[in-house]
Amino acid sequence: MSTFIKGATMLAMGGAAGAEPFAGDLLIEADRIAAIGSSLQPPPGAEVIDGSGKLVMPGLVNAHLHTNEALFKGRYDNMPLEVWMLYSYPIRAAKRLSSRLVYLRSMLVAMESLKYGVTCITDDLYESPRSEMELMDSVIDAYVDCGIRATVSAHVVNRNFLDTIPFTREYVPHHLQQEIDGIIPMTTADYIAYVKQVHGRFHGRAGRIRTMLAPSAPQRCTVDLMLAANDLAREWGVPFHTHIVETKVQGVTGPEFHGKSLTAYMDDLGLLNPWTTIAHSIWVNDDDIERLGRAGVSVAHNAISNQKLGAGSAPVRKLLTAGVNIGLGSDGICSNDTPRIFDVMKAAGLMHKVNNPDWSRWLTASEVLYAGTIGGARTALLQDEIGSLEPGKKADLLILDMQTANFTPLNDVRNHLVYCEEGSSIEKVFVNGEMVVENGKLTKVDEKALLAELRAMMPEFIEYTGGVEAANHELEPAFTKVIQRCYGMDIGINRWASDA
């Protein structure tokens, strides 16, 4: 079956046009774009979509996401990362969730993503207390059922939690240290065996599912695990996805643990490569930025999450100038509270204007759109498959109505997309050549029924969560002292817009 979109405004984000809108046509054959241009003719039997007054653009890419946080949406606020993690990634009293709840949790994120124009997600999936194949089955089933494209990992931490943050042993009460010391982390051998099983079982499923390697962060993983994960990522041609210097505490961590920044530590281990994607990179210095650019890494910029957690503002212009590829991520669904990349694009377009009085260095709308599409695809090593409208690429695209208030009066389409649009103008969403959203409704699943089922399961989950929060609240005073101590240390850079 062919689909022909006739006479629309095209924003290709690739090819000769790049980010310059033009009037044209687009042909979808099976799961790929067969042609794009002006004055094309539909083949016999093709379904023809009238593009008059419509905008066709690539689907948005969420370059960094933790769907495991989705059940905490709207729950936490005014907490820095190291306190917030006590509750969203609990150390004490966590128990395994049911497979059905994990399925619905994943579906919740996927459905909202698709309805708001995100056709591809990178899910850095962390299960408490540990990853299990049955739960990964549930996650993948949700993504296959709803029609989204996803790169999925088993996020891993294999070092004692207390040894991943400086100074904790000075402040955490001894009895709690003893309890946490009794938690046995996953071994490198167990992790590698698990990810090999996941890769063999799910990679390539439905033409939309890929896997990746996701050691949590250099301070949270042993060197042997990171090196083994990097070797598999290179062998399989998938991302090595990790977190580096999201907060000032982590900016202090590198010098305290290794006598150098965490970025330099990773570089010296040979772990900065073109297949490396780093979430955040906020508290990086100029030497770090040079290393990242020289290695050709990608950075997933989480503009909303970084603000909500008070982490600071990544030096995106410096990263771009150094040659770092930038994608946009929502980060977790309780440090952002939605997976909507239209929201992240607007935040990214705005927040960097207050970082520098030289307006020639501010991000343009085209740069933001690039990060939300083809730049995001590059973070998942999918730039040859998605992220732009070009012949031969997968047909992951959006059709928006430009007769809405968001585009009225119509000036520069790119500015409207970054600063005016939030997803309400979307009429159709295609993934892999299949229409998965039409007129605001998902075509492959019953959203209303799934949301009702999830709501029915929440009272039991909320009761359980209250107990987990009470158990981990005992740790908060000690971690508050750690954070305050780190905040008071001079590490030679500042990433806060602060009058402190």
Side-chain angles (χ1 to χ4, degrees):
M1 179 66 180
S2 303
T3 301
F4 188 80
I5 305 170
K6 181 176 180 61
T9 297
M10 299 286 169
L11 188 68
M13 300 307 300
E20 190 68 34
F22 66 95
D25 315 303
L26 185 142
L27 174 64
I28 300 171
E29 296 276 10
D31 62 346
R32 295 189 180 269
I33 297 169
I36 181 172
S38 302
S39 303
L40 303 180
Q41 295 300 314
E47 176 189 1
V48 177
I49 297 174
D50 183 3
S52 302
K54 313 296 183 189
L55 172 68
V56 181
M57 64 176 291
L60 300 176
V61 178
N62 191 337
H64 182 67
L65 169 65
H66 301 284
T67 60
N68 47 283
E69 297 177 26
L71 301 181
F72 303 127
K73 178 191 290 188
R75 191 168 182 86
Y76 304 123
D77 195 15
N78 290 346
M79 296 179 180
L81 177 85
E82 288 78 17
V83 169
W84 168 85
M85 286 185 67
L86 296 176
Y87 303 109
S88 54
Y89 291 79
I91 305 305
R92 307 177 71 209
K95 70 177 184 180
R96 180 192 189 277
L97 301 182
S98 72
S99 298
R100 186 61 182 174
L101 186 56
V102 168
Y103 175 89
L104 293 169
R105 182 193 72 190
S106 306
M107 186 64 81
L108 174 68
V109 177
M111 292 191 300
E112 186 176 7
S113 295
L114 287 173
K115 289 180 68 177
Y116 287 90
V118 175
T119 56
C120 179
I121 61 175
T122 292
D123 188 2
D124 190 2
L125 180 67
Y126 183 86
E127 298 289 2
S128 293
R130 62 177 57 244
S131 299
E132 295 184 23
M133 188 58 63
E134 183 180 346
L135 300 182
M136 183 65 79
D137 259 322
S138 298
V139 172
I140 302 299
D141 283 348
Y143 298 155
V144 170
D145 290 350
C146 74
I148 202 165
R149 188 179 303 283
T151 300
V152 188
S153 70
H155 179 111
V156 63
V157 175
N158 78 323
R159 299 185 71 178
N160 185 307
F161 175 70
L162 295 176
D163 298 326
T164 65
I165 299 173
F167 316 127
T168 55
R169 297 285 183 179
E170 298 180 37
Y171 300 113
V172 174
H174 183 66
H175 73 282
L176 293 178
Q177 290 193 43
Q178 286 185 309
E179 178 186 332
I180 294 169
D181 288 344
I183 300 171
I184 307 301
M186 179 178 278
T187 67
T188 296
D190 286 344
Y191 172 71
I192 295 302
Y194 180 74
V195 295
K196 285 182 176 180
Q197 187 179 1
V198 168
H199 184 75
R201 186 165 180 169
F202 301 118
H203 191 74
R205 185 173 169 188
R208 293 184 275 107
I209 305 300
R210 288 169 53 85
T211 61
M212 66 181 183
L213 283 302
S216 178
Q219 72 275 21
R220 300 178 191 141
C221 296
T222 58
V223 171
D224 63 321
L225 185 143
M226 290 191 294
L227 293 174
N230 183 63
D231 287 345
L232 283 181
R234 180 176 57 241
E235 177 185 339
W236 293 342
V238 302
F240 178 95
H241 191 103
T242 191
H243 300 68
I244 303 183
V245 284
E246 180 177 358
T247 65
K248 185 173 182 182
V249 173
Q250 294 172 18
V252 169
T253 298
E256 286 294 320
F257 285 3
H258 308 293
K260 64 184 79 171
S261 73
L262 288 173
T263 304
Y265 173 67
M266 290 284 284
D267 191 20
D268 291 346
L269 290 172
L271 295 173
L272 299 183
N273 299 290
W275 57 88
T276 303
T277 292
I278 298 166
H280 308 300
S281 286
I282 297 174
W283 291 83
V284 285
N285 58 38
D286 288 347
D287 176 69
D288 295 332
I289 293 169
E290 182 183 350
R291 289 171 183 264
L292 296 172
R294 187 167 62 242
V297 306
S298 291
V299 165
H301 177 39
N302 303 283
I304 293 178
S305 174
N306 295 158
Q307 292 181 81
K308 185 176 183 186
L309 294 174
S313 179
V316 169
R317 173 57 69 198
K318 283 189 172 184
L319 290 165
L320 286 169
T321 300
V324 175
N325 174 65
I326 301 292
L328 298 179
S330 64
D331 206 1
I333 307 303
C334 76
S335 65
N336 178 329
D337 299 282
T338 86
R340 298 193 297 261
I341 296 300
F342 273 115
D343 295 357
V344 178
M345 286 198 297
K346 183 169 185 176
L350 292 173
M351 69 185 293
H352 299 292
K353 300 184 194 310
V354 300
N355 293 343
N356 195 314
D358 180 1
W359 57 89
S360 68
R361 293 176 58 81
W362 295 354
L363 297 182
T364 67
S366 293
E367 288 175 314
V368 173
L369 286 164
Y370 187 95
T373 54
I374 188 67
R378 168 73 177 79
T379 69
L381 303 186
L382 286 170
Q383 68 274 17
D384 294 333
E385 289 287 294
I386 64 167
S388 60
L389 305 181
E390 299 180 74
K393 283 197 168 184
K394 293 282 192 176
D396 292 10
L397 56 89
L398 315 177
I399 302 178
L400 293 89
D401 180 8
M402 291 199 299
Q403 308 303 307
T404 64
N406 292 343
F407 290 92
T408 303
L410 183 61
N411 288 290
D412 189 313
V413 165
R414 294 159 294 193
N415 287 338
H416 283 274
L417 287 170
V418 173
Y419 297 113
C420 308
E421 183 58 59
E422 83 288 25
S424 63
S425 302
I426 295 172
E427 287 192 345
K428 294 177 173 63
V429 177
F430 288 80
V431 179
N432 226 35
E434 181 179 16
M435 193 190 313
V436 295
V437 175
E438 184 174 19
N439 297 324
K441 292 188 176 181
L442 297 152
T443 64
K444 294 173 68 67
V445 294
D446 186 338
E447 180 185 15
K448 186 176 180 180
L450 289 164
L451 293 179
E453 184 183 356
L454 177 58
R455 283 194 295 270
M457 298 179 75
M458 285 306 292
E460 180 180 353
F461 176 80
I462 293 298
E463 182 179 2
Y464 151 71
T465 297
V468 173
E469 290 170 346
N472 287 278
H473 183 69
E474 287 189 64
L475 291 163
E476 186 172 332
F479 278 80
T480 297
K481 292 177 182 177
V482 169
I483 295 166
Q484 290 172 341
R485 178 171 171 178
C486 291
Y487 282 5
M489 297 174 70
D490 182 3
I491 60 172
I493 54 173
N494 175 50
R495 299 298 180 208
W496 288 311
S498 173
D499 58 2

